[in-house]
């Protein structure tokens, strides 16, 4: 079991398998970065899996694969299956924009994936095009539908922005409710990579909008989850994530691995250590030592700064 020096148990690994993305979301990566990490610098699945085995052996019980857009990495089902075959009861999840999901959802499910989060910010094709700078809505909806059909548990992540999709809070709620998908409204987090014109919408406004039509009650918060969940009168559960208000750090159980092999103890903390050399040299003892050092030195609080956030969401996977 991995416990950091503030007594937090670290049992959740998020792996960003690529920073590349086929969308250019206004709040994340409105422009193609100056350069991508060259493909030859990325750890391959066998190398990433060597680290995954260390993490599982040390007590990680939950793994989420993210990006950039993780489905841009070929044969992701192969990597998922490696993890599943190593430990079948791992809580194995994926966050995707959904664009490429339709044709691979079944393969992912069969390989051992249990849960999926898709990002859905609008139900209007022209707004989806405005946000992602690409005509994406049909594919995203079809991908989400297929994930449900093949039996994956699905949640939707939604970022509400002023004058873009703030008139769709209820439509998105009702759409997800009709499909029994949990929607989570994530407050927009300002960052230096996003389009500077974007303005977020506060959670109070979102809750007030929903309450005009539906009565709901707070559900007791799971201490490690960033989301606060609510249940409405029909038993439908939805969530909100308020990064500016909540102190996620106190109960943070996460560690992040980038496609290049950087182990990041905190989303908003520049320090990271690389496991790349030790993994490439098959030096499992050294990679384990680095992992334990990163956990031990996990900062108590993040150093969140809107202007100077040097790590992009698409690099760390959010
Ligand atoms: N490409 C995948 C996707 O879009 O789901 C996975 C990576 S994306 C970085 C992970 C999540 O981060 C998405 O749900 C996205 O909405 C969220 N995200 C990205 N930028 C954000 C921002 N500035 N504020 C809040 N959430 C953000
Ligand atoms: Fe790509 Fe996801 Fe970022 Fe949108 S939020 S640009 S889909 S990584």
């Amino acid at each position: 079991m991995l416990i950091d020096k503030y007594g937090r148990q670290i049992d959740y690994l998020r792996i960003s398998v690529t920073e590349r993305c086929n969308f250019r979301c206004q709040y994340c990566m409105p422009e193609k970065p100056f350069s991508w990490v060259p493909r030859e610098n990325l750890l391959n699945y066998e190398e990433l899996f060597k680290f995954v085995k260390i993490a599982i052996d040390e007590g990680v019980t939950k793994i989420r694969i993210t990006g950039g857009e993780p489905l841009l990495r070929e044969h992701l089902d192969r990597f998922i299956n490696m993890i599943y075959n190593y430990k079948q009861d791992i809580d194995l999840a994926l966050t995707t924009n959904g664009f490429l999901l339709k044709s691979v959802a079944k393969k992912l499910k069969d390989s051992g994936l249990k849960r999926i989060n898709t990002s859905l910010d609008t139900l209007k094709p022209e707004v989806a095009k405005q946000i992602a700078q690409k005509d994406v809505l049909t594919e995203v909806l079809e991908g989400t539908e297929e994930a449900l059909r093949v039996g994956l548990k699905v949640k939707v992540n939604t970022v509400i922005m002023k004058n873009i999709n703030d008139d769709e809070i209820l439509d998105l709620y009702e759409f997800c409710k009709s499909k029994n998908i949990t929607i989570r409204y994530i407050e927009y987090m300002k960052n230096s990579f996003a389009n500077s014109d974007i303005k977020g919408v506060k959670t109070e406004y979102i809750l007030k909008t929903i309450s005009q039509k539906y009565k709901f009650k707070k559900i007791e918060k799971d201490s490690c989850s960033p989301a606060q969940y609510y249940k409405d009168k029909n038993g439908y559960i939805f969530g909100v994530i308020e990064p500016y208000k909540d102190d996620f750090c106190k109960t943070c159980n996460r560690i992040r691995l980038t496609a290049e092999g950087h182990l990041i103890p905190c989303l908003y903390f520049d320090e990271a250590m690389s496991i790349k050399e030790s993994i490439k040299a098959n030096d499992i003892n050294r990679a384990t030592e680095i992992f334990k050092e990163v956990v031990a030195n996990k900062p108590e609080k993040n150093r969140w700064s809107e202007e100077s956030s040097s790590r992009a969401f698409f690099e760390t996977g959010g």
Side-chain angles (χ1 to χ4, degrees):
M1 193 190 283
L2 289 160
I3 309 275
D4 75 3
K5 64 178 177 228
Y6 301 100
R8 297 170 297 193
Q9 187 180 337
I10 309 305
D11 56 9
Y12 180 12
L13 173 67
R14 292 176 68 101
I15 308 173
S16 169
V17 291
T18 178
E19 60 173 352
R20 292 169 197 243
C21 191
N22 45 356
F23 286 15
R24 292 288 172 269
C25 299
Q26 301 283 354
Y27 50 73
C28 179
M29 192 203 300
E31 275 154 41
K32 183 173 178 285
F34 183 65
S35 64
W36 299 115
V37 175
R39 287 187 208 276
E40 60 272 21
N41 287 8
L42 304 183
L43 293 179
N44 63 34
Y45 290 149
E46 282 70 22
E47 290 162 343
L48 288 170
F49 180 55
K50 278 184 195 168
F51 181 75
V52 166
K53 284 194 283 187
I54 296 173
I56 293 176
D57 291 348
E58 292 296 332
V60 161
T61 58
K62 179 173 173 181
I63 296 178
R64 177 170 293 277
I65 295 166
T66 175
E69 177 42 43
L71 295 183
L72 285 182
R73 213 140 158 192
E74 280 189 352
H75 310 301
L76 191 65
D77 56 300
R78 194 164 71 78
F79 180 48
I80 287 170
N81 197 237
M82 286 166 148
I83 303 173
Y84 178 75
N85 284 338
Y86 190 66
K87 197 152 193 268
Q88 303 198 345
D89 61 355
I90 284 285
D91 181 6
L92 199 45
L94 173 79
T95 302
T96 170
N97 62 31
F99 191 79
L100 299 170
L101 187 54
K102 188 177 175 189
S103 62
V104 293
K106 171 95 172 61
K107 245 195 314 194
L108 293 172
K109 167 83 167 101
D110 292 346
S111 66
L113 188 71
K114 293 174 183 151
R115 302 190 294 115
I116 208 155
N117 286 10
T118 55
S119 298
L120 178 70
D121 302 316
T122 175
L123 295 168
K124 297 179 187 167
E126 68 284 5
V127 178
K129 194 170 177 181
Q130 182 190 356
I131 296 172
Q133 303 189 73
K134 178 170 166 175
D135 199 358
V136 296
L137 189 64
T138 305
E139 284 82 354
V140 172
L141 291 176
E142 286 180 2
T144 305
E145 201 68 60
E146 180 66 3
L148 282 172
R149 198 190 65 77
V150 301
L152 285 161
K153 284 192 191 152
V154 181
K155 282 185 183 158
V156 151
N157 290 337
T158 300
V159 179
I160 299 289
M161 293 158 279
K162 263 189 198 137
N163 302 325
I164 296 181
N165 60 350
D166 52 352
D167 58 340
E168 291 191 73
I169 295 169
L170 269 173
D171 290 346
L172 286 158
Y173 182 94
E174 287 171 346
F175 173 79
C176 291
K177 184 172 173 166
S178 73
K179 305 211 170 279
N180 207 15
I181 295 173
T182 300
I183 185 170
R184 304 187 315 162
Y185 299 92
I186 308 176
E187 255 183 30
Y188 167 62
M189 299 177 76
K190 244 178 125 180
N191 67 87
S192 52
F193 298 88
N195 177 339
S196 55
D197 294 336
I198 296 288
K199 302 255 176 311
V201 166
K202 287 273 156 219
T203 294
E204 288 86 69
Y205 179 79
I206 294 170
L207 291 177
K208 201 169 149 212
T209 306
I210 298 170
S211 72
Q212 283 162 6
K213 201 158 168 196
Y214 297 98
K215 285 208 158 50
F216 51 81
K217 271 196 187 141
K218 218 180 222 183
I219 296 177
E220 196 174 335
K221 199 167 183 296
D222 164 357
S223 62
C224 291
S225 165
Q228 171 65 59
Y229 287 100
Y230 294 84
K231 193 191 254 189
D232 78 11
K233 280 219 149 167
N234 312 107
Y236 174 64
I237 291 177
F238 70 98
V240 293
I241 300 183
E242 289 180 90
Y244 289 94
K245 193 171 148 208
D246 275 339
D247 184 4
F248 298 144
C249 304
K250 244 190 325 206
T251 54
C252 180
N253 61 345
R254 299 162 183 220
I255 207 97
R256 291 174 164 83
L257 178 67
T258 70
E260 259 192 300
H262 291 129
L263 258 189
I264 301 173
C266 170
L267 195 49
Y268 304 111
F269 200 79
D270 283 342
E271 284 76 353
M273 283 181 84
S274 177
I275 48 127
K276 186 171 171 177
E277 286 67 32
S278 49
I279 287 290
K280 283 203 176 281
N282 205 19
D283 188 346
I284 301 304
N285 288 339
R286 179 65 194 134
T288 308
E289 269 171 28
I290 294 172
F291 182 34
K292 288 184 173 169
E293 199 175 326
V294 171
V295 168
N297 292 326
K298 189 171 157 74
E300 185 177 17
K301 286 237 30 112
N302 66 50
R303 284 196 214 128
W304 168 246
S305 154
E306 291 173 353
E307 281 70 36
S308 67
S309 55
S310 62
R311 272 214 199 91
F313 274 80
F314 57 82
E315 185 196 352
T316 56

